[in-house]
């Protein structure tokens, strides 16, 4: 009985130490979510106005440009997948990877070859374990991305969209990331970055009651689009990285809270078992004492006769 009690005590100590760690990680993640939310909100106006500017240029000219012109028969697409560098975030990375897999299957079903670009060690590990080809990968900044990181990621994608498919370029750019909706809801989404769907933007503006302004372009609309192309891609990727970071922190906070609660429940269960073992040990000792006293009394009575 004593050995069993010691086992329970050691397990309670181990689970208590784990609970302290998960509680600390939960608090750290919760503190980082607020900062990440602010960064997402701060990036939205620039991305929105840049999209409106691109739409205004595209609708006000007849210039054919990779930013806005649909290819008649697209044969190659690039997919940027954003995952996390660290684990302990529940199904955050796995859900994003599943969304990328569904997008890949859909594009392949349309007869398009897919080049995969990955942000985050979890996505790199997933594709590496399955020995799949990855065009390029970046790690080390998923929990706190900067605009410089977005520019670094965007550079090869911009080059790919500006290159002919016969020379290794692509006709479309897609991005898969986890959209931050609220502290409790984060949804993996796949969006097409390029070519920009002017109809969707126009419908969104009409719902808001907004009218695109008229511009005169100097030196030409094509030069303006050439200048806006990298800015547009960089801003979209930066916003996606920020939303993914906020989603990662929220998912980690939720996972660590669940782990902390489970550790508390396990400690209660082990404490009950330890108390039962201690009670059984005390009962056994009392029984042995009573039995010994009874035997001694019988022996004394026999010697008196």
């Amino acid at each position: 009985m004593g050995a069993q009690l010691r086992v329970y005590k050691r397990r309670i100590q181990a689970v208590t130490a784990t609970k302290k760690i998960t509680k600390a990680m939960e608090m750290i993640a919760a503190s980082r979510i607020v900062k990440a939310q602010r960064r997402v909100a701060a990036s939205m106006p620039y991305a929105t106005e840049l999209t409106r500017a691109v739409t205004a240029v595209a609708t006000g000219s007849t210039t054919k440009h990779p930013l806005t012109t649909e290819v008649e028969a697209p044969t190659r697409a690039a997919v940027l997948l954003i995952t996390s560098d660290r684990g302990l975030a529940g199904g955050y990375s796995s859900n994003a990877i599943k969304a990328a897999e569904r997008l890949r299957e859909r594009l392949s079903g349309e007869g398009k070859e897919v080049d995969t670009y990955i942000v985050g060690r979890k996505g790199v590990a997933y594709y590496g374990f399955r020995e799949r080809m990855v065009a390029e990968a970046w790690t080390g900044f998923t929990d706190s991305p900067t605009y410089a990181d977005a520019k670094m990621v965007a550079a090869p994608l911009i080059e790919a969209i500006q290159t002919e498919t016969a020379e290794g370029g692509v006709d479309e750019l897609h991005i898969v990331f986890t959209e931050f909706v609220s502290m409790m809801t984060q949804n993996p989404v796949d969006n097409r970055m390029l070519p920009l769907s002017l109809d969707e933007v126009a419908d969104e503006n009409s719902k808001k009651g907004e009218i695109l302004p008229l511009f005169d372009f100097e030196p030409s609309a094509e030069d303006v689009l050439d200048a806006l192309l990298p800015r547009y891609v960089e801003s979209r990727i930066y916003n996606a990285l920020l939303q993914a970071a906020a989603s990662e922190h929220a998912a980690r906070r939720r996972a660590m809270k669940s782990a902390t609660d489970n550790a508390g429940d396990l400690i209660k269960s082990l404490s009950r078992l330890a108390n039962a073992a201690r009670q059984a040990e005390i009962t056994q000792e009392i029984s042995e004492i009573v039995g010994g006293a009874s035997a001694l009394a019988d022996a004394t009575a026999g010697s008196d006769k």
Side-chain angles (χ1 to χ4, degrees):
M1 284 296 179
Q4 188 178 14
L5 184 60
R6 286 193 294 274
V7 170
Y8 287 138
K9 287 183 176 180
R10 283 198 296 268
R11 290 190 63 187
I12 290 173
Q13 291 174 354
V15 176
T16 301
T18 302
K19 181 181 178 181
K20 291 180 180 179
I21 295 173
T22 56
K23 183 63 176 179
M25 294 183 67
E26 176 191 347
M27 296 176 66
I28 292 172
S31 66
R32 290 178 176 175
I33 292 173
V34 178
K35 182 179 179 181
Q37 283 181 284
R38 291 174 180 170
R39 296 182 69 188
V40 171
S43 71
M44 291 300 294
Y46 176 76
T48 302
E49 290 302 318
L50 187 57
T51 302
R52 292 182 73 248
V54 171
T55 306
V57 176
T59 55
S61 68
T62 57
T63 302
K64 290 186 177 182
H65 194 274
L67 188 61
T68 58
T69 304
E70 295 275 358
V71 179
E72 292 184 1
T75 58
R76 198 176 189 90
V79 175
L80 173 62
L81 168 62
I82 299 178
T83 62
S84 65
D85 285 324
R86 298 184 294 128
L88 301 178
Y92 166 77
S93 292
S94 61
N95 291 335
I97 291 172
K98 290 177 182 177
E101 290 293 286
R102 290 192 295 268
L103 175 60
R104 183 185 182 90
E105 291 177 1
R106 177 164 60 83
L107 294 175
S108 298
E110 295 172 358
K112 302 171 187 175
E113 296 182 30
V114 179
D115 293 340
T116 304
Y117 297 78
I118 300 178
V119 174
R121 292 190 178 94
K122 291 300 179 181
V124 173
Y126 177 87
Y127 278 75
F129 180 77
R130 288 158 180 77
E131 298 182 350
R132 295 186 182 180
M133 290 293 297
V134 175
E136 200 158 347
W138 303 268
T139 59
F141 55 82
T142 59
D143 59 344
S144 183
T146 63
Y147 196 82
D149 297 323
K151 290 183 67 175
M152 177 177 62
V153 174
L157 294 170
I158 295 170
E159 182 180 356
I161 197 66
Q162 291 177 328
T163 305
E164 296 293 334
T165 54
E167 299 175 1
V170 297
D171 300 316
E172 297 176 355
L173 292 183
H174 297 261
I175 184 169
V176 179
F177 66 99
T178 305
E179 181 183 30
F180 183 85
V181 179
S182 66
M183 295 283 285
M184 297 302 298
T185 306
Q186 302 87 42
N187 298 324
V189 296
D190 63 90
N191 294 334
R192 193 181 73 171
M193 283 192 292
L194 295 178
L196 178 63
S197 178
L198 300 180
D199 293 336
E200 292 181 3
V201 177
D203 291 341
E204 184 177 351
N205 290 334
S206 63
K207 290 179 182 178
K208 296 179 181 179
E210 297 180 356
I211 301 175
L212 291 175
L214 298 176
F215 292 105
D216 290 330
F217 310 116
E218 292 184 1
S220 66
E222 185 175 1
D223 291 333
V224 173
L225 288 173
D226 285 338
L228 289 177
L229 172 60
R231 303 292 179 270
Y232 172 76
V233 176
E234 290 165 6
S235 67
R236 288 289 299 273
I237 292 177
Y238 182 52
N239 182 263
L241 288 172
L242 292 178
Q243 292 211 49
S247 299
E248 178 184 348
H249 294 316
R252 182 168 289 111
R253 174 192 170 277
R254 190 166 60 251
M256 291 301 98
K257 185 180 186 307
S258 177
T260 302
D261 294 342
N262 291 338
D265 293 340
L266 183 57
I267 289 173
K268 291 180 182 179
S269 177
L270 290 173
S271 297
R272 284 195 292 268
L273 293 174
N275 292 335
R278 186 184 296 110
Q279 186 64 42
E281 184 177 355
I282 293 172
T283 301
Q284 183 177 356
E285 290 177 356
I286 292 174
S287 299
E288 290 174 354
I289 292 172
V290 172
S294 178
L296 182 60
D298 292 343
T300 303
S303 62
D304 290 341
K305 292 179 182 181

